[in-house]
Amino acid sequence: MGKKLLPVNSVTFKKNIFIFLLLYTIVISYLPNPTSQNILTLFIINTLSLIIFVLSAFNIKFGLYLFIFFMPLLGSLSRIIGIGNISFIHYLFLALFLGFFVYYSSKTQSKWYYSYRDGIILDSDISKAAILFILLCVISFLITVYRYGNFVPFITNNYHNLDVNIQGVKSTESIFWTIDYFFNYIVGFGLLLIVFNVIKKNKDIFIAIAILVISTLASSGFVFYQYFIDPHLGSIDSWVNSGRYNATFTDPNALGAYGILLF
């Protein structure tokens, strides 16, 4: 027998639209300010994000494979092209997650009918721990933001952009820094959700590992370039002077942590 077809559920359709717009708003808010970045930065981020999103929306497995390929390769890209320190991989993840939601929503809904399917799932034991951790992150995030804002309007009547440390970092800058790291902390669970729903067969695991090994070899090749030709490319003076190499990662510690996780 064929799949059971159910009438279009307008409530589910509206819920999907609401969730998509919420995710889209987060993605747009997280993208760098065009006035504060050069054109090359914006071109790289938006081009790669668009490719990941479109590919994931049509075939989430291919989108995930491409994201896995980029994971070890983009950590030091911002330093290589001389634009400071920007985490390209986080922008790509936001595009991947948005495409993941669109892909599963489109598989659920046809033009006039919903086809019966399992939908997005996550192991209940994992989901409980993930939700608890995210809840703790939300509470910590809110407390930290209010602390930098002098708990306005509860303690002070107005917001004051005060210095928060001896280096002259202001409250507003610290709040934006907190927002960035809040999303960085919870994206791991979003990636877990994608992997749990996309990687379902041994073949998928082998392909993902093979892609990861290929991109890791490319990153390792960059280490040899740093060692024999130009140790400053993609690195900073303190690491070069200490004789440590970061390959395509943000720093040598990230390279070491990745190596341990890979094995």
Side-chain angles (χ1 to χ4, degrees), residues 62-223:
F62 288 164
L64 178 60
Y65 288 156
L66 183 60
F67 177 80
I68 291 174
F69 176 78
F70 281 133
M71 281 177 59
L73 299 177
L74 300 180
S76 63
L77 178 60
S78 58
R79 289 202 186 104
I80 293 175
I81 59 180
I83 55 175
N85 189 17
I86 295 178
S87 182
F88 287 93
I89 197 65
H90 288 139
Y91 298 117
L92 298 192
F93 172 79
L94 292 174
L96 174 68
F97 194 83
L98 195 61
F100 166 73
F101 178 78
V102 171
Y103 175 83
Y104 271 85
S105 296
S106 63
K107 290 299 179 182
T108 303
Q109 178 189 340
S110 64
K111 184 175 181 181
W112 296 108
Y113 296 94
Y114 279 150
S115 298
Y116 176 79
R117 64 186 311 280
D118 293 334
I120 299 174
I121 58 174
L122 181 63
D123 182 82
S124 59
D125 293 334
I126 298 176
S127 62
K128 292 176 182 177
I131 292 173
L132 178 59
F133 182 85
I134 292 174
L135 180 62
L136 291 175
C137 285
V138 170
I139 295 174
S140 175
F141 163 76
L142 293 176
I143 293 175
T144 305
V145 168
Y146 274 112
R147 179 172 65 86
Y148 285 134
N150 299 309
F151 293 97
V152 61
F154 302 107
I155 295 180
T156 57
N157 294 326
N158 297 307
Y159 172 76
H160 301 284
N161 191 21
L162 304 175
D163 292 340
V164 299
N165 59 25
I166 60 175
Q167 296 181 341
V169 177
K170 300 289 187 178
S171 297
T172 301
E173 182 181 354
S174 300
I175 290 174
F176 281 110
W177 181 89
T178 304
I179 294 173
D180 285 342
Y181 273 80
F182 168 72
F183 285 115
N184 293 347
Y185 281 134
I186 64 176
V187 294
F189 293 102
L191 182 59
L192 178 65
L193 179 66
I194 296 175
V195 170
F196 194 87
N197 285 272
V198 176
I199 305 298
K200 297 181 179 180
K201 301 179 181 178
N202 289 336
K203 178 182 177 181
D204 300 334
I205 298 175
F206 294 146
I207 293 176
I209 293 176
I211 293 173
L212 199 59
V213 169
I214 292 173
S215 59
T216 300
L217 290 175
S219 177
S220 301
F222 195 79
V223 169

